[in-house]
Amino acid sequence: MSTGSRKTWEAWARSVPPLACASTREPCHDPAATATRLAQARLADQYMVYEAQGGVWHFAAGSAESVTANATGITAQAAGRTWTSRTDGKPLTAFATALSARRVAGEEARHFYGWAAFELAHLLHADPAAAGDQPLLRALIPAVEVTLTRDRTVVRAVDEAWARKVADLLAEPPAQGTAADEPTPERTEGVIAAGTAAYGRAVSRTVGDIRAGLLEKAVVSRKVPLPAEPRPDFPATYLAGRRANTPARSYLLDLGGYRAAGFSPETVLEIGEDGRVSTQPLAGTRALGPDPAENERRRAELLSDPKEIHEHAVSVRLAWDEMAAVCRPGSVVVEEFMAVRPRGPVQHLASRVTGRLRPDAGPWDAFASLFPAITATGVSKRAALQALARHEEGPRGLYGGAVFRGNTDGALDAALVLRTLIGAGNEAWLRAGAGVTAQSSPEREIEETCEKLRSVAPYLRFAED
């Protein structure tokens, strides 16, 4: 079957049951803790918690309905059946086609939750061969969805059995469980410092590429593997880290082979059902600590540092260009430029670019244009991807990609995967990067990655055997 086999995806969509049971309950006192507790209950083998704008948490679970795509093929599953198709090197197109077919006439919009791996970028912007053969996109259409807000709790499920499971959990008093271990300050700094010498050399090589005229900027990252034992407790890490961070979005997931607990500083894009699209590039960093006077000094330094201002300005310029490619002429504007936003132990220069989608463009067209975030790659995006392939060790996987929530009426909210504990198989790791320009020094970029790793490393929690 071809990528555009609409009948294939319509047959899959008809096999996905609607969320027939809905109920509204009293608001919970602590939405973050409640969402974490639902994740810890392991109602299904796959789940996601997604914190959206305005202090709204969503929990989704149930793995019977899913879509997975790699460079060559796409697979959808529902009701014990499997549908497959070729992607012809365009997995995002096939993925969008499958999800759009889920819009069934007469039914209200369904939500989906998922992730996009960083290597999807090679198919969109650089060398298709570098994308590899691992899954690049995964989405789950849940059997049960819980939305937790300040004024109510809404439970929606495919049947009464799922609804009862969640209702029973929500009625239980919070458990008083504790994780077996948490890092000491000395251990945290030891984790953060791992691999800095090799990273400094990668920064130096990238500066050489920039000065040779190969590119303007690259966001070079380093991976920090965690020991196999003790095993990280992802839900406990998420809750501890969320208490201490001020993210734009946060997420906790076990989905499609990845586990993650993250506190994203920015969104790749936000699209409403009305076609308004927004992106929030953050570039330029200073530490944020307990001393207000020192924080203000660093803030002033950030706003006047030529390297940081240049790094931020080129990111905003490219974000504008990428938005203009899919938006109505004249609709793209910079609504905010070079504000300073706190994000846990750091503060960033932040801007917001908005526009209106063209009538012939949909949410996944915008995603294709903006992904991966310019603040996780560089300028130009193609040249930066090539530089990262030369100077970083191995694929990034989920890091620098996106975790998203959307619906079949065209809304899409995608968080950039940074400041995240990531796991796959028996491995777990942290990763952090810094924007490298011609003015960069290895020492400062190493320091910046350490500042960012402190968003997660002090809040690691480990599971009891």
Side-chain angles (χ1 to χ4, degrees), residues 388-432:
L388 297 179
R390 290 192 298 271
H391 302 313
E392 291 186 345
E393 293 186 11
R396 286 185 171 185
L398 198 58
Y399 175 83
V403 170
F404 55 78
R405 177 181 187 265
N407 72 25
T408 51
D409 274 350
L412 182 62
D413 193 282
L416 174 58
V417 179
L418 303 176
R419 323 291 157 82
T420 297
L421 168 65
I422 302 173
N426 294 320
E427 296 183 88
W429 61 93
L430 307 176
R431 193 159 189 152

Side-chain angles (χ1 to χ4, degrees), residues 90-358:
K90 298 180 179 180
L92 187 56
T93 301
F95 191 74
T97 300
L99 289 174
S100 66
R102 186 58 192 86
R103 185 64 175 109
V104 178
E107 285 188 16
E108 64 178 291
R110 284 292 298 272
H111 286 106
F112 53 80
Y113 296 75
W115 52 256
F118 182 81
E119 281 63 42
L120 175 65
H122 293 294
L123 286 168
L124 296 173
H125 307 290
D127 177 12
D133 59 0
Q134 295 300 304
L136 300 174
L137 293 151
R138 173 80 171 191
L140 168 76
I141 297 177
V144 65
E145 184 177 23
V146 183
T147 299
L148 304 157
T149 69
R150 295 184 180 90
D151 58 355
R152 61 180 177 171
T153 299
V154 178
V155 180
R156 305 185 72 243
V158 295
D159 56 35
E160 288 290 348
W162 272 106
R164 280 196 301 273
K165 288 179 187 178
V166 171
D168 291 345
L169 282 170
L170 291 172
E172 292 177 0
Q176 299 299 314
T178 58
D181 189 22
E182 60 186 77
T184 63
E186 295 78 14
R187 184 173 165 192
T188 292
E189 291 304 308
V191 168
I192 287 170
T196 54
Y199 180 72
R201 292 190 291 272
V203 170
S204 294
R205 292 193 298 270
T206 305
V207 170
D209 288 350
I210 293 169
R211 292 177 178 173
L214 299 181
L215 69 161
E216 284 189 65
K217 169 189 170 182
V219 182
V220 183
S221 67
R222 62 186 179 97
K223 183 177 180 179
V224 182
L226 299 178
E229 294 293 339
R231 294 175 293 106
D233 184 323
F234 281 78
T237 296
Y238 172 76
L239 189 57
R242 182 60 187 86
R243 301 291 197 217
N245 275 281
T246 48
R249 301 289 188 273
S250 71
Y251 41 81
L252 170 67
L253 63 90
D254 188 339
L255 177 64
Y258 280 115
R259 302 181 301 282
F263 320 103
S264 175
E266 63 184 278
T267 54
V268 179
L269 82 170
E270 304 157 44
I271 304 177
E273 293 176 7
D274 61 356
R276 183 181 187 273
V277 57
S278 170
T279 188
Q280 184 190 38
L282 271 65
T285 306
R286 285 295 185 275
L288 187 66
D291 184 341
E294 179 62 12
N295 289 337
E296 184 56 34
R297 185 194 69 77
R298 290 170 178 162
R299 181 180 185 276
E301 182 182 86
L302 180 59
L303 286 165
S304 60
D305 186 306
K307 183 265 180 184
E308 304 286 17
I309 292 170
H310 175 259
E311 179 188 347
H312 187 82
V314 296
S315 298
V316 174
R317 184 194 71 203
L318 187 58
W320 174 290
D321 292 342
E322 291 175 341
M323 290 275 285
V326 293
C327 288
R328 299 172 186 265
S331 71
V332 179
V333 296
V334 179
E335 290 190 350
E336 179 181 62
F337 184 65
M338 276 183 49
V340 177
R341 291 281 176 265
R343 292 292 184 257
V346 294
Q347 49 190 324
H348 292 294
L349 294 178
S351 295
R352 182 168 292 280
V353 185
T354 65
R356 291 279 174 179
L357 287 178
R358 296 194 319 263

